[in-house]
Each structure stands twice: as structure tokens, then as C-alpha cells.
């Protein structure tokens, strides 16, 4: 496929995600949906990007001309659109954490992102330029609101965990993205004392870059450190990502956050076989904490958590239950829904912090040094390089266990590990590593990569 990546379609609004593409994807989505439903209903939402309105209009036109009824939700977080797509289909116009010059399309069915098979079908229909349906089969269009229902559902779900956060001080940096209309409101409904930063929707992202990182969250970090907050939260443009800042203004490693939530879900589960699904680039600290909590982990390729959940059930036993699925920064709360939801993560973590404090939540988790390195590699060389690495890396680390399903991952008995995989979007080979002496491990693995 040429258009779909690990998170829908994303790219420049001038050259890739154009109104004509949105029209074609809309029509293709409607035609594919009509294979199972005579007149499908598709909910459409968009984030705050300045190009979102035009793309949503083109998308809706394509859907209606393909025979689908359209429900326009306006500006909403991506998890709210996914929530609304339960029992039907949905398309979100968003480029998530990409710059404001980009936009994208993310497709859902019954609250779950389209899998590869469905994406291939849409790709084929777009390429074949299917014509509109007959004039008397065009779909209808209406407007609706889902925000209140979604916010209430998130708050109700989170109340199962932790403690009442009354008195807990939280700073939430919405980054002028769609978290502005959901995260502060949910945390206040739960009882937390919330101060919101950059909580007006502005698709230019004037306050900071849409992607929340230690570098882009400098204002939040200083605000939390100087304002005597219990912790801080940073969101991306469409509120599916979450970053946690401790009371000293330091960013908590994303795998530690993942491990905290995963361990709690395992502890709460009554299943005989509680499973956490994560990705190959995720830390071994997750496996350690999940095991200590009484569960186990399964890994799936990046951008395919929903596929990993399905596989875990297919290969599991009668008592298998997937209690959580997550990759760094992105969490699927499986008992709430099948989508990535940064607002739900904020709500659950706020109640867990209220119960024990952030330091106590982190205390059982071993946090080893972690590195991510990008090694230049032309796109047409990636396949050859990865094939060579698959042989050379195990030879260089004969004591390590090896997994080659999603790149090449080695793991040693001391829980140190390294993953080598090709970037899907840039001319790089990615190297991820975690170890007590991570610089030595990175140097050794990098030598292997560069030698081939």
C-alpha cells in the first residue's frame, strides 16, 4: 500500500492528504461498508487543524456519494470519534502529532482502527476511482454531538480504579489541541484540582509543537515544578497520546507509565491468564512488572495493537483476558474500548496518583537507561540490511534470546535488550536499547548494523 501507514493516512495537505484524496477515501469507505450494510452510517470528526474543515467536507461528500449516511461531530478528540463509532463506522480527520501543514485520515469500525485487510480494500477502491452510486442512493447528512457522553463515560470508567482525587493538583498542557475539550473537564468531574495550559483549540499550534516531548513541554515542566503540582500531563494534537511529568518537572519515561497502568490492570483482573499486549520497542521493565503483578506480555508490530489483542485471544486459553494494550505514549484501555485513548489514561492515572502518589507507583519498576538511535540507511537498502542484521546480531550476542517477528530484538538474562527495525517513513534504521550500561550496548549493536 502507498497511502496507509501505522496510523491511518498522514501527510502534506498539498501533495498527499488533499481534498481529492479525502473524497476518494470517503467514497471507498462507503462502498466497502455497503458490502455488509445496505445504508451504512459513518461518523466523521476532525481535529483543530485549519485544513480540517475542507477535508471533512470532501470526506463527507465522498461518503454520501458512495451511499453512506454521515453524522458530522465537528471538532473532537480522536478517542471521542472512536467512541462514537461503536456499532458503526467512523473517520477522523487528523494528523495527530504531525506539524500543522499536515493532515490525515484514520478509519474505524465498531471503535477499532481498520486492520490491514480493510485498508487494502480501501486502497484498491481509491485507486480504481469507483464512481458515485445512483442519484437516488446518495446518503443523508446530519450533525450531532458526542463530547458530553464521551466525557461522562471516561469519568465513570476511571472511577473503578484508585481513589478520589479531590485535592490532587494536576497541570494539563493541551497543546492547543483537542484535549482542550475533554481532558481538563474529565479530571475536574473526577474531583481533581486542575490548571489547564494552552487549552484553546488552535490548529496553528502556536504554543508548542503538537508532539509532546521533554523538549516541547518545557513550559509545562517549569509550571509543574514551580507551582507545587502533584504531577503534569501533556497531550498531542488529537488527544490519543499522553506524557506524564513528575512534581519536579521531569518527564516520566513512557515505558514506566505504561508499566504502572499495565501492572494495575493485571492486579485488578480476575482472569486466570491476564495479558498485556505491547510492541517490540517497549521496555523489558513492562514485562518484569507485569510478571510480578501476575500476568504476561505479548508483542505485536507497531501500529497494530488491535491485531495483537485479537491474536492474544486466538492463541490464548479459556481464561485468557487482554487487560491492557499499549505502545509508548499510546494506551488502549480494553475494558473501556478498542481505541487508543489519552483522555482515559489521564483519568485513570489521576486516580492512581490520588491513591498512592506518583513516586510510590514508580517505586516497584526498575528504570534502566534507555536509548533510541537513528542510523541513516537508504530506503532501497533497508531490506538487504535487515536480512543481514537478522544473522549478524545473534552471532554478536550468542547469549541472548532472539525474536525476529517485528525487526530483530535481542534480550539478555539481565533484562537488557535491543531492537533493530527499519523506519517506515524515513531513510533510517532505528535502534532501541535498554541496559544498565546502555551506551556500551548501543555501541556494540550499532557496530553490527554499520558493518552490514
Amino acid at each position: 500500500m502507498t497511502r496507509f501507514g501505522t496510523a491511518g493516512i498522514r501527510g502534506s495537505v498539498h501533495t498527499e492528504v488533499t481534498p481529492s484524496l479525502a473524497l476518494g477515501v470517503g467514497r471507498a469507505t462507503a462502498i466497502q461498508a455497503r458490502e455488509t450494510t445496505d445504508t451504512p452510517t459513518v461518523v466523521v470528526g476532525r481535529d483543530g487543524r485549519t485544513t480540517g474543515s475542507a477535508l471533512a467536507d470532501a470526506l463527507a461528500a465522498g461518503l454520501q456519494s458512495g451511499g453512506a449516511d454521515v453524522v458530522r461531530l465537528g471538532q473532537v478528540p480522536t478517542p471521542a470519534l472512536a467512541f462514537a463509532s461503536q456499532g458503526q463506522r467512523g473517520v477522523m480527520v487528523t494528523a495527530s502529532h504531525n506539524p500543522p501543514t499536515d493532515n490525515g485520515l484514520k478509519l474505524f469500525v465498531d471503535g477499532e482502527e481498520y486492520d490491514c485487510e480493510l485498508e487494502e480494500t480501501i486502497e484498491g477502491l481509491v485507486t480504481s476511482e469507483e464512481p458515485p452510486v445512483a442519484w437516488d442512493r446518495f446518503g443523508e447528512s446530519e450533525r450531532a454531538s458526542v463530547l458530553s457522553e464521551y466525557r461522562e463515560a471516561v469519568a465513570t470508567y476511571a472511577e473503578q480504579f484508585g481513589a478520589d482525587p479531590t485535592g490532587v493538583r494536576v497541570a494539563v498542557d493541551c497543546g492547543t489541541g483537542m484535549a482542550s475539550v475533554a481532558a481538563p473537564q474529565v479530571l475536574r468531574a473526577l474531583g481533581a484540582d486542575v490548571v489547564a495550559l494552552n487549552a484553546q483549540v488552535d490548529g496553528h499550534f502556536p504554543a508548542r509543537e503538537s508532539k509532546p516531548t521533554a523538549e516541547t513541554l518545557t513550559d509545562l515542566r517549569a509550571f509543574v515544578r514551580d507551582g507545587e503540582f502533584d504531577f503534569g500531563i501533556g497531550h498531542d494534537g488529537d488527544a490519543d497520546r499522553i506524557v506524564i511529568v513528575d512534581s519536579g518537572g521531569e518527564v516520566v519515561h513512557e515505558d514506566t507509565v505504561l508499566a504502572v497502568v499495565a501492572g494495575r490492570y493485571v492486579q485488578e483482573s480476575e482472569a486466570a491468564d491476564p495479558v498485556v499486549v505491547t510492541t517490540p520497542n517497549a521496555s523489558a521493565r513492562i514485562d518484569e512488572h507485569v510478571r510480578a503483578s501476575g500476568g504476561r506480555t505479548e508483542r505485536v508490530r507497531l501500529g497494530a495493537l488491535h491485531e495483537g489483542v485479537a491474536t492474544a485471544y486466538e492463541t490464548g486459553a479459556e481464561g485468557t483476558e487482554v487487560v491492557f494494550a499499549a505502545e509508548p505514549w499510546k494506551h488502549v484501555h480494553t475494558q473501556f474500548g478498542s481505541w487508543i485513548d489519552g483522555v482515559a489514561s489521564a483519568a485513570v492515572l489521576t486516580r492512581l496518583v490520588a491513591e498512592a502518589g506518583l513516586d510510590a507507583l514508580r517505586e516497584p519498576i526498575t528504570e534502566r537507561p534507555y536509548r533510541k538511535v537513528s542510523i541513516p540507511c537508504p530506503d532501497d537498502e533497508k531490506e538487504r540490511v535487515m536480512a543481514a542484521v537478522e544473522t549478524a546480531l545473534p552471532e554478536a550476542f550468542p547469549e541472548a534470546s532472539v525474536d525476529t517477528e517485528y525487526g530483530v530484538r535481542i534480550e539478555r538474562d539481565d533484562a537488557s535488550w535491543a531492537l533493530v527495525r527499519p523506519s517506515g517513513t524515513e531513510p533510517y534504521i532505528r535502534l532501541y536499547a535498554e541496559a544498565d550500561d546502555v551506551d556500551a550496548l548501543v555501541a556494540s549493536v550499532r557496530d553490527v548494523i554499520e558493518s552490514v
Side-chain angles (χ1 to χ4, degrees), residues 92-171:
M92 182 69 184
V93 180
T94 180
S96 190
H97 60 276
N98 281 33
T101 53
D102 289 357
N103 217 320
L105 303 168
K106 186 176 286 191
L107 282 63
F108 294 86
V109 56
D110 196 19
E112 189 172 291
E113 291 181 39
Y114 271 32
D115 60 21
C116 287
E117 184 177 346
L118 282 174
E119 288 179 342
E120 288 172 359
T121 300
I122 299 301
E123 179 86 16
L125 290 169
V126 171
T127 303
S128 66
E129 298 183 349
E130 289 290 318
V133 297
W135 65 269
D136 57 350
R137 296 295 305 276
F138 272 42
E140 302 290 334
S141 178
E142 64 176 296
R143 296 188 179 274
S145 175
V146 73
L147 272 175
S148 295
E149 183 182 357
Y150 167 71
R151 293 190 299 229
E152 183 177 346
V154 172
T156 300
Y157 169 75
E159 285 172 350
Q160 303 173 72
F161 309 100
D164 180 352
T166 299
V168 173
R169 297 198 74 219
V170 188

Side-chain angles (χ1 to χ4, degrees), residues 1 12 14 38 52 76 127 155 213 237 257 270 295 300 325 368 380 390 394 421 449:
M1 291 184 294
S12 165
H14 289 109
D38 186 46
V76 293
T127 303
T213 66
V257 176
E270 297 179 357
V300 69
R368 299 177 183 86
D380 58 4
E390 189 170 328
R421 58 177 289 272
I449 298 169

